[in-house]
Amino acid sequence: MILNVTTPDGERHALEALEGWRVMEVIRDWGLPIVAECGGACSCATCHVYVDADWLDRLPPRSEEEEAKLDEAFDVRGTSRLSCQILMREELDGLHVTLAPMPR
Amino acid sequence: MSPDAATDAATAPSIITAEGAGPHQTDVTIIGAGPCGLFAVFELGLLDLKCHLVDILDRPGGQCAELYPEKPIYDIPAVPVCTGQELTDRLMEQVAPFSPVFHLSQMAEKLEKLEDGTWRLTTDTGTVIDSKVIVIAAGGGSFVPKKPPIPGIDAYEGSSVFYAVRKMEQFRGKKLIVAGGGDSALDWVLNLQPLAESVTLVHRRDEFRAAPDSVNKMRALVAEKKMTLEIAQISGLEGENGQLTGVVFKDKERGEWSVPCDMLLPFYGLTMKLGPVAEFGLNLEQNLIPVDTEKFETSTSGIFAIGDINTYPGKLKLILSGFHEAALMSQAAVRIVHPDKKIRFQYTTSSTDLQQKLGVA
């Protein structure tokens, strides 16, 4: 399955993804610039992405924990998600996300 | 500090902190008081080496304490499950017999070699520690405040934008904007409100992670019109020559608007930065310190690196790998501190000598 990722420089990448991998892990595995410093524990907000609006209703809603952790992200929008909290599965084949601005 | 954290601190073993700037003398200086740094105290202690530890956080535990104190860890050998805080507390209990000395809320800043071969480490608060061996167990680096990716913010840092409060007086009579929804944001709102000309708290939603008592106090101040709460996000800064005049807020309904401001205090949590360790001359590879897998020594004799911060073929960033690295490092460290001593390898199960060191025999 494919995960489409647009990087901050505006380039779009089609990444081969595996079922059950976190979106963050796919992005990191392909070497795109994502900080993801806590490694997927929903503890750092440095894997913040914007999900294409078309895909939003196919994702499980934000958990309370994810919502709270987004407080530490920047430019949070309705389409904001922490990419460590989205697992790739059949229905998400073709998902498109854009990397959000990262803290320095 | 959350009420939970306060309870944890009360039950945790007491922490020995250093008095004075030194120079302190010890056998081994450990940079980083996370799980690997703490376990290094244990392994070094069994070999009679004394340790001082430096950490930028105000308590031991590193990422376990800062990032995931409440999260379960399932891959510590023989401990089916424990939280990050429990792991830290148990390590503190395990190293207590060796009385390690902690230098907390400080960043290891400068490392130099004295004429007699001793390493002298200086921290950003001026503490000096001399030792024969340095162990870098700094994980992902120092925890420092996240700097928001707002265009042009660098120009205001230190003059109008502050990520920490060192002197409250500097905020007297100023128009302040505080950003964030955690304890740091709320604590500084409450502390600075009495002396500032005005305080505006800006947060992305009308819910706060901070301690409920702080949130209630903040809401009371808002109700009394002694401060302002804006549910919005920061989208830009206004000012010139390093002096802010306003901060631009935005939200979906109201669009963008500007609020007058002299000083902005963003509190968006912490992130890890390698920091001055990068200047220690250790031939970094992608911000990691290459080591051998026999002693976990760096390219510089007498400086070791263990845990997440090192790299070698096959490296896995696991706590258990760091524990193993600490044990092998210690065998090499003792040969540097006591080059003429014959080292005996012993088991805690059977050695009366080790058991006496642990205070159980």
Side-chain angles (χ1 to χ4, degrees):
Chain A
M1 59 187 74
I2 294 294
L3 171 69
N4 294 297
V5 179
T6 299
T7 44
D9 55 14
E11 255 187 67
R12 186 169 163 145
H13 306 257
L15 310 179
E16 185 67 43
L18 291 172
E19 169 127 34
W21 282 50
R22 300 163 191 270
V23 166
M24 175 276 284
E25 291 168 335
V26 178
I27 298 170
R28 188 177 62 183
D29 197 51
W30 282 93
L32 295 184
I34 191 161
V35 178
E37 73 184 13
C38 81
C42 196
S43 295
C44 71
T46 56
C47 66
H48 177 200
V49 298
Y50 304 119
V51 175
D52 245 36
D54 304 349
W55 289 90
L56 265 191
D57 54 4
R58 269 175 274 188
L59 297 178
R62 294 172 189 162
S63 66
E64 204 174 303
E65 190 181 20
E66 184 180 348
E67 189 69 53
K69 196 41 72 174
L70 278 167
D71 285 355
E72 295 182 17
F74 304 98
D75 196 5
V76 178
R77 305 172 189 169
T79 56
S80 285
R81 295 300 302 259
L82 295 181
S83 59
C84 72
Q85 299 302 298
I86 308 171
L87 298 184
M88 286 305 290
R89 52 193 165 82
E90 278 301 313
E91 308 89 276
L92 296 182
D93 188 3
L95 175 69
H96 180 215
V97 303
T98 300
L99 300 185
M102 285 292 136
R104 294 166 305 126
Chain B
M1 188 184 275
S2 72
D4 283 355
T7 315
D8 289 343
T11 54
S14 64
I15 296 169
I16 303 168
T17 51
E19 279 177 33
H24 301 277
Q25 310 290 332
T26 189
D27 295 320
V28 180
T29 305
I30 302 174
I31 302 173
C36 298
L38 291 177
F39 194 65
V41 171
F42 181 82
E43 288 293 333
L44 292 162
L46 290 181
L47 296 165
D48 292 321
L49 300 185
K50 292 291 178 196
C51 300
H52 279 224
L53 301 98
V54 176
D55 201 291
I56 193 157
L57 295 178
D58 60 3
R59 60 207 183 283
Q63 291 181 46
C64 286
E66 176 58 34
L67 280 183
Y68 47 89
E70 309 299 328
K71 302 255 176 188
I73 306 171
Y74 298 102
D75 61 353
I76 304 298
V79 182
V81 60
C82 69
T83 65
Q85 190 57 51
E86 284 166 353
L87 186 78
T88 304
D89 291 346
R90 289 179 191 189
L91 282 164
M92 287 297 287
E93 186 185 334
Q94 196 166 23
V95 303
F98 303 111
S99 308
V101 179
F102 289 84
H103 304 264
L104 299 170
S105 305
Q106 300 178 45
M107 180 156 63
E109 194 166 67
K110 195 171 95 183
L111 184 61
E112 59 196 316
K113 198 168 194 174
L114 304 182
E115 263 176 30
D116 67 348
T118 301
W119 290 106
R120 169 161 287 184
L121 183 84
T122 308
T123 73
D124 63 343
T125 60
T127 303
V128 177
I129 310 165
D130 291 345
S131 60
K132 288 287 184 212
V133 169
I134 299 286
V135 175
I136 304 174
S142 295
F143 277 101
V144 295
K146 276 184 192 155
K147 300 182 172 186
I150 304 169
I153 194 168
D154 317 41
Y156 300 104
E157 287 170 358
S159 48
S160 278
V161 172
F162 301 90
Y163 301 103
V165 176
R166 299 225 183 274
K167 280 196 306 235
M168 281 179 40
E169 268 311 305
Q170 122 184 70
F171 300 95
R172 183 178 293 278
K174 304 290 185 188
K175 294 190 277 288
L176 308 182
I177 293 180
V178 178
D183 282 309
S184 300
L186 273 284
D187 286 353
W188 286 118
V189 160
L190 298 177
N191 280 309
L192 295 174
Q193 186 276 331
L195 50 95
E197 180 188 325
S198 67
V199 174
T200 300
L201 175 65
V202 56
H203 185 46
R204 61 175 273 266
R205 57 187 184 131
D206 201 8
E207 276 177 64
F208 295 84
R209 308 182 309 287
D213 180 53
S214 308
V215 178
N216 291 341
K217 285 181 179 152
M218 179 273 293
R219 291 201 191 279
L221 288 172
V222 173
E224 295 165 31
K225 300 202 186 315
K226 289 182 174 163
M227 63 167 283
T228 309
L229 170 63
E230 291 282 8
I231 305 305
Q233 295 186 75
I234 296 176
S235 64
L237 304 175
E238 293 171 344
E240 55 183 4
N241 301 327
Q243 180 53 57
L244 276 182
T245 54
V247 170
V248 183
F249 291 169
K250 70 168 178 186
D251 83 352
K252 257 210 272 201
E253 283 78 41
R254 292 179 285 178
E256 287 196 326
W257 72 100
S258 168
V259 174
C261 166
D262 300 317
M263 291 172 168
L264 169 66
L265 297 108
F267 294 108
Y268 291 95
L270 303 179
T271 187
M272 290 180 277
K273 290 268 180 276
L274 188 53
V277 168
E279 312 304 320
F280 288 0
L282 300 173
N283 301 320
L284 300 192
E285 286 174 13
Q286 296 182 331
N287 272 349
L288 298 169
I289 302 174
V291 291
D292 65 57
T293 50
E294 178 195 341
K295 307 184 296 288
F296 299 93
E297 195 165 28
T298 67
S299 56
T300 302
S301 176
I303 305 181
F304 299 81
I306 61 171
D308 284 1
I309 200 159
N310 75 14
T311 184
Y312 52 83
K315 168 72 181 183
L316 281 182
K317 287 188 182 185
L318 291 176
I319 291 171
L320 75 91
S321 305
F323 288 171
H324 161 79
E325 293 159 17
L328 268 62
M329 171 279 294
S330 299
Q331 294 293 320
V334 71
R335 286 169 170 83
I336 292 175
V337 179
H338 302 297
D340 301 325
K341 193 169 161 187
K342 190 143 176 65
I343 307 301
R344 174 168 57 140
F345 179 68
Q346 308 177 83
Y347 293 102
T348 55
T349 321
S350 49
S351 161
T352 313
D353 172 44
L354 294 186
Q355 289 170 0
Q356 277 168 352
K357 291 174 195 174
L358 292 169
V360 292

